[in-house]
Amino acid sequence: MKIKILALVIILSSSLSFAQTKLADKFFENYGYVKAIELYEKAYEKGDESAHVLTRLGDAYYNNSNSEKAVYWYEKALNQYNDIEAEFVYKYIQSLRSIGNYEEADVWFKKLSDAQQGDSRLKGYNPDEVDIFDKLTSKNDELIVNIENLDFNTENSDFGPYMFGNTLYYASANSDDKKVYNWNKEPFLDLFEIEVTDEEDGSQSYGSSTSLNAMEINTDYHEASIAITNDGQTMYFTRDNTNKRNRLEYDKEGTTHLQIYKATLVDGAWDDVEELPFNDDVFSTGHPALSPDNKTLYFVSDREGGFGQTDIYSVEINDDNTYGSPVNLGEGINTEGREMFPFVAADNTLYFSSDGHLNLGLLDIFKSDVLQVEIASDPVNLGAPFNSGYDDFAYFINNDNQKGYFSSNRPGGKGSDDIYSYTVTECKQQITGTAREARTDIILADVKVQLIDATGKIIEEVTTTADGTYSFDVDCNQTYTVLGSKADYKDDKATLTTTNTNEEVHTADLTLSPLISEDQIVINPIFFDFDKWNIRTDAEYELENIVDVMRKHPDMVIKIESHTDSRGRDKYNLKLSDRRAKSTKDYLLSRDISPDRIESAIGYGETQLLNDCGNGVKCTEEEHQLNRRSYFYIIDSNKDKEE
């Protein structure tokens, strides 16, 4: 007999735990993570240690940005089960990183990488599933990039923009008195400068272009690609290999190579030009770029020992103005092709152009964190609109205002190579709304409004102001849910999808129905299966509103009334409604509502119909439904005192 009783207890406990989980699922799916956590944890305490409960607890905490608790529950799931889906492993890694446990995160990252080869988050893209070229040419809806072909471009080559102060430096073949370069039948390149003015509307205007001091910097041959030290006193630039008589120097095969030179600012003019010691007559050295602290010079060379046609190197600049030995940046950056035009931004991001990494054609602009971290990521192709099917190169960015320049020979320009300016702004929109009470349409202040993304994660929370309004700044081209909640009111939510138009405003008003109306707690109808009195999951979901109100008002005492329609025998309906009332009471007691707070739970059968649908009267299902109802009357409460 004891064995049978024990078995019955186990079955009942399992049944209660299963019902608790189903109810928790209902709240989770409606973004009610706090309530879901409470119910899942209660199910766990009653013995439900399923992967579903453990990972849902992890997700509920993760979506609520509680990384420590998310780690706790994901870890339990991973320790107990060997077949946890990769999505949960990834969130576990993210949570570990969030709390600074990088070592453990790396362990799981390796496991996930081995098991999940091709995961786009791990590899950047999956060539079996994603057309990388579509990805690189597609528009980034999160960013707005405005590109402009500058007015001072000429029909010849103009490229290599570099901004210092309010002066833009660049190389141009726009010279009437220079020799013609046989390669492209254009004049040899000179260095030019032009004053840039920031206008009130955020645009920029450009003055007249002038050549840098002739013969000191510009010769009869090529000069291009500059870098200037932070103090503005030293300039590095590229020049053809010339001798003191301003004549080209050649190697044994009759080739003239590029070299890097240094000039010093003397009385406001560039002077004292000298060749750097790591140049050579038998290979080219050019395209100088400086680190943010000016202690390292980066350059391009085709010297022996490289990985490809041209590689990017670094060399230390010593305090005594001497130089260390050039170091190749390695195969993470350099390929068998051409790596050219390095530029190091203020945040130490390396930008360069390459035709050896996956690209859209010819040279593309890439960025790399190789100068920021010990183990660098693969270079990232900037994609469209910076890159095209043509040569795109000589990238420059001002991190402070996200403005910059690059060069390209893409169609639609003024010459063979043109300089383009760009500005990058995040595409932002706004969601606004007003919270009102459903019954009276009055404004509701102090409504908690949560912004939830498409994955179900709560990303921001605000409270409505005195005039009932709220607002969120949101990203473009995303789906959001706005969830409004307030004590003694039913939640309301609205889902919308933003567009890709910058600064568009979306309206999502919220209408909250009061749970307390005069002497009643009002919820949606409690449904029972035909001829049954057990509480269904959807009924539990509604009854949680009663739980919330009674927790909010700890002195509140209620009585429960349950009613049926007229179908069936009168006495049977009376008993059925009474059982349903008692089941409703039992559920509230199971949620830790004290028994002395429920004065009574009585069924009235069909004795108090709300319409004329009595015995023998033909009525619609909707009319019968009106009579199947439960009431929760407030007998006593300190609610008024609290308010």
Side-chain angles (χ1 to χ4, degrees), residues 311-548:
D311 283 7
I312 299 175
Y313 291 78
S314 68
V315 62
E316 290 185 11
I317 303 174
N318 301 318
D319 293 338
D320 60 358
N321 290 321
T322 61
Y323 301 86
S325 299
V327 177
N328 191 296
L329 288 193
E331 59 185 342
I333 297 296
N334 296 313
T335 68
E336 294 181 358
R338 299 177 299 160
E339 278 67 52
M340 309 173 72
F341 297 98
F343 170 73
V344 184
D347 64 358
N348 226 28
T349 300
L350 172 67
Y351 295 89
F352 64 97
S353 289
S354 172
D355 63 3
H357 295 281
L358 190 63
N359 58 75
L360 293 173
L362 304 180
L363 290 173
D364 270 10
I365 302 167
F366 293 80
K367 69 176 180 179
S368 170
D369 59 3
V370 68
L371 308 181
Q372 300 170 318
V373 296
E374 291 184 9
I375 302 176
S377 307
D378 291 335
V380 176
N381 189 308
L382 294 192
F386 298 105
N387 291 321
S388 64
Y390 298 82
D391 282 328
D392 305 289
F393 59 100
Y395 183 88
F396 177 94
I397 185 171
N398 183 334
N399 288 130
D400 292 336
N401 57 18
Q402 293 298 297
K403 293 181 179 181
Y405 303 89
F406 68 95
S407 308
S408 180
N409 63 354
R410 64 186 62 186
K414 296 182 176 69
S416 52
D417 292 315
D418 278 1
I419 296 172
Y420 292 80
S421 69
Y422 69 85
T423 57
V424 179
T425 55
E426 289 189 15
C427 182
K428 287 293 183 182
Q429 297 185 3
Q430 193 176 58
I431 297 176
T432 65
T434 302
R436 290 183 171 85
E437 185 180 275
R439 185 182 56 187
T440 62
D441 206 36
I442 64 172
I443 295 296
L444 287 179
D446 299 322
V447 174
K448 181 175 72 175
V449 185
Q450 295 175 319
L451 181 68
I452 303 168
D453 67 15
T455 69
K457 185 175 180 61
I458 299 169
I459 56 178
E460 191 176 351
E461 182 179 300
V462 297
T463 303
T464 57
T465 57
D467 62 357
T469 61
Y470 74 91
S471 67
F472 293 110
D473 291 326
V474 295
D475 294 329
C476 298
N477 204 38
Q478 299 291 325
T479 297
Y480 294 99
T481 295
V482 176
L483 179 67
S485 57
K486 183 178 174 68
D488 296 338
Y489 286 86
K490 296 177 186 177
D491 293 351
D492 188 32
K493 66 176 183 284
T495 300
L496 55 86
T497 300
T498 57
T499 64
N500 57 5
T501 302
N502 195 34
E503 298 183 356
E504 186 172 345
V505 179
H506 303 267
T507 300
D509 292 331
L510 298 169
T511 304
L512 281 67
S513 299
L515 288 169
I516 297 177
S517 177
E518 296 179 353
D519 63 343
Q520 286 189 53
I521 304 176
V522 181
I523 62 174
N524 290 330
I526 301 298
F527 293 110
F528 295 86
D529 290 329
F530 177 72
D531 205 26
K532 303 288 184 182
W533 57 86
N534 58 292
I535 303 296
R536 301 184 340 188
T537 300
D538 57 348
E540 291 177 335
Y541 186 76
E542 286 300 322
L543 287 174
E544 283 299 314
N545 288 311
I546 306 294
V547 173
D548 289 341

Side-chain angles (χ1 to χ4, degrees), residues 49-98:
E49 298 184 19
S50 64
H52 176 78
V53 166
L54 298 178
T55 54
R56 272 292 174 90
L57 273 166
D59 276 356
Y61 279 117
Y62 178 87
N63 290 341
N64 235 345
S65 300
N66 189 333
S67 297
E68 290 186 355
K69 286 293 185 69
V71 164
Y72 175 83
W73 290 106
Y74 286 138
E75 194 171 81
K76 277 188 174 295
L78 290 166
N79 287 340
Q80 288 186 225
Y81 299 95
N82 296 321
D83 57 347
I84 296 298
E85 294 179 16
E87 183 68 24
F88 301 120
V89 180
Y90 182 77
K91 291 178 183 177
Y92 178 52
I93 293 169
Q94 295 293 82
S95 300
L96 286 169
R97 287 175 172 171
S98 175

Side-chain angles (χ1 to χ4, degrees), residues 84 86 89 108-119 122:
I84 296 298
V89 180
W108 282 96
F109 189 90
K110 178 65 167 61
K111 291 180 181 179
L112 185 60
S113 181
D114 291 341
Q116 226 20 46
Q117 294 182 12
D119 190 321
L122 307 177

